[in-house]
Amino acid sequence: MSTPIISIIVPVYNVEKYLHQCVQSILDQTIQNIEIILVNDGSTDMSSTICNEFKEKDHRIVVINKANGGLSDARNIGIKAAKGKYIAFVDSDDFIHKEMLKKMYQRIIIDGSDMAVCGYIQYYNNVKKNEQYIYGKDEVICPAQFFDSILSDEKIGNYAWNKIYKKELFAEVTFPKGKAFEDINTTYKLVLLSDKISIINEALYYYRQRWNSISNSVNVDNLRNQIDAIVERNKTISSKFPYLMKKCKINELKFYVINYNQISKKYKYGFK
C-alpha cells in the first residue's frame, strides 16, 4: 500500500456494542487512501476479537494490542505508529459521515492550513437530535480566532476528534497520560503550533452521549483534572493574546457556575 494520506486513530476499550458502527463508518469514507489504527487498550469484552475480524477483512486496518493505560496513552501509541501525512481521531463509540475525511482533507490542502475542523452532532440512543454544533460559515482562521470561539461559544470545541492535523504538529505535543479531559490539555497546544485553521461549516462527526462515559462522570478526580486543564490553557492563551484575558476569566467562572452543585458537594467532604 502506498503511504496513506490520513491515519485515523481509534482507541478501543470495552466498546463491543458500538465498535462495528464506528469502524465501518471509517471504512466507508469516500477517500480511500487511509490507514485505520485500532489501539486495543486492554479490553476485557469482545472488542479485541472485533478489531481482529476487521483487520482480516481490510488491509488498511492496523491493530495494536496493549495493556490498559487510558485514552491518552492509546492515542499517543497510535500517533507513534501512524504513517499518514495527517492525523485524525475517532472515539470508538462514535461514528462519522462518509465524506468527513475527504471534505476536511480537501479544505486543508486548498487553504494551506495546518488543521481542519468540522461541526458535530450529539447523538443519543441511536436518535439523531437537533443538537448540532457548527461554526457558522466556511472560513480560514488564525489561532486567536480559534481561542475566541473556544472561550465565547465553544462551537469549535476542544475535542480532538472533529479535526485533522498535520502529523508534524505532534512532534512537540502528546496527550497527558492518566488525565481526564485530556483534549483540553492538548488541543490548544496544537493550535498554537498552527498558522492557519480551516473551518468546515457542516456537522460531519456523530458524538455519542453515554451516561457512563468519562465526560459524563462526576467525581473528584475528573473535576480536578478539568479545573487544572482549563486554568493552564487559559493562562497560556492570556499570555499569548492579552486581549483575551477577560474572556479567559469569564470562561473559568462559567465552569464553576455550571458545576456549582457538584463542586460544593465535593468541597463539603474535602478533596481526597
Side-chain angles (χ1 to χ4, degrees):
M1 187 177 74
S2 60
T3 301
I5 296 172
I6 307 171
S7 293
I8 302 96
I9 297 165
V10 184
V12 177
Y13 180 70
N14 289 354
V15 283
E16 60 183 9
K17 183 178 179 180
Y18 310 107
L19 190 55
H20 279 100
Q21 184 180 27
C22 173
V23 178
Q24 192 61 53
S25 74
I26 305 173
L27 290 173
D28 290 342
Q29 291 297 293
T30 53
I31 184 170
Q32 294 293 306
N33 190 11
I34 61 176
E35 172 187 48
I36 306 166
I37 303 176
L38 305 178
V39 185
N40 176 36
D41 192 37
S43 295
T44 57
D45 64 357
M46 293 296 292
S47 294
S48 177
T49 299
I50 295 169
C51 287
N52 290 328
E53 288 174 351
F54 271 112
K55 180 182 177 181
E56 291 300 315
K57 294 177 181 178
D58 199 300
H59 69 279
R60 296 174 297 172
I61 292 179
V62 175
V63 176
I64 299 174
N65 293 295
K66 60 179 287 297
N68 181 255
L71 179 58
S72 290
D73 191 45
R75 283 178 176 167
N76 290 336
I77 286 177
I79 292 167
K80 289 181 180 178
K83 298 177 182 177
K85 298 177 181 179
Y86 297 89
I87 298 285
F89 301 98
V90 177
D91 284 356
S92 53
D93 52 352
D94 298 337
F95 58 101
I96 59 178
H97 188 280
K98 66 181 181 179
E99 292 197 334
M100 173 180 154
L101 296 177
K102 178 182 178 180
K103 289 186 175 185
M104 296 179 80
Y105 174 68
Q106 287 177 336
R107 280 297 308 278
I108 210 170
I109 295 299
I110 291 170
D111 298 336
S113 299
D114 302 289
M115 292 173 53
V117 183
C118 71
Y120 63 96
I121 293 171
Q122 289 202 7
Y123 192 83
Y124 297 85
N125 299 324
N126 296 321
V127 177
K128 180 179 176 181
K129 307 282 279 190
N130 291 324
E131 295 177 34
Q132 179 173 274
Y133 296 82
I134 53 178
Y135 188 72
K137 59 182 177 179
D138 287 344
E139 192 174 7
V140 179
I141 63 175
C142 65
Q145 291 171 296
F146 183 102
F147 294 134
D148 198 350
S149 176
I150 287 287
L151 296 167
S152 301
D153 54 38
E154 300 183 1
K155 288 182 179 178
I156 292 177
N158 287 286
Y159 308 113
W161 39 250
N162 65 329
K163 305 169 178 68
I164 65 171
Y165 317 79
K166 284 185 176 178
K167 184 181 178 182
E168 53 259 38
L169 295 180
F170 289 95
E172 301 180 36
V173 178
T174 58
F175 289 91
K177 185 176 179 179
K179 299 285 187 181
F181 300 97
E182 67 290 327
D183 292 354
I184 299 175
N185 279 292
T186 309
T187 301
Y188 79 91
K189 297 175 183 176
L190 297 167
V191 171
L192 286 172
L193 292 170
S194 303
D195 292 321
K196 295 194 292 184
I197 301 154
S198 295
I199 304 296
I200 294 91
N201 190 41
E202 292 183 70
L204 302 172
Y205 189 100
Y206 292 83
Y207 175 35
R208 192 188 305 272
Q209 291 293 294
R210 292 193 293 141
W211 301 117
N212 61 341
S213 67
I214 291 174
S215 60
N216 286 314
S217 299
V218 176
N219 60 52
V220 172
D221 287 338
N222 282 356
L223 286 171
R224 181 188 290 117
N225 286 168
Q226 193 172 12
I227 292 169
D228 290 347
I230 290 172
V231 170
E232 178 186 344
R233 181 200 66 188
N234 289 359
K235 182 179 179 181
T236 302
I237 294 173
S238 295
S239 67
K240 298 286 185 179
F241 309 100
Y243 70 94
L244 291 176
M245 184 178 298
K246 182 177 179 180
K247 286 191 174 183
C248 286
K249 295 301 181 184
I250 294 173
N251 177 261
E252 290 172 23
L253 179 61
K254 178 182 175 182
F255 166 81
Y256 285 107
V257 170
I258 291 173
N259 292 280
Y260 172 78
N261 289 330
Q262 291 87 348
I263 293 171
S264 62
K265 290 177 183 178
K266 301 304 178 183
Y267 272 114
K268 179 178 179 180
Y269 298 104
F271 282 101
K272 300 293 185 181

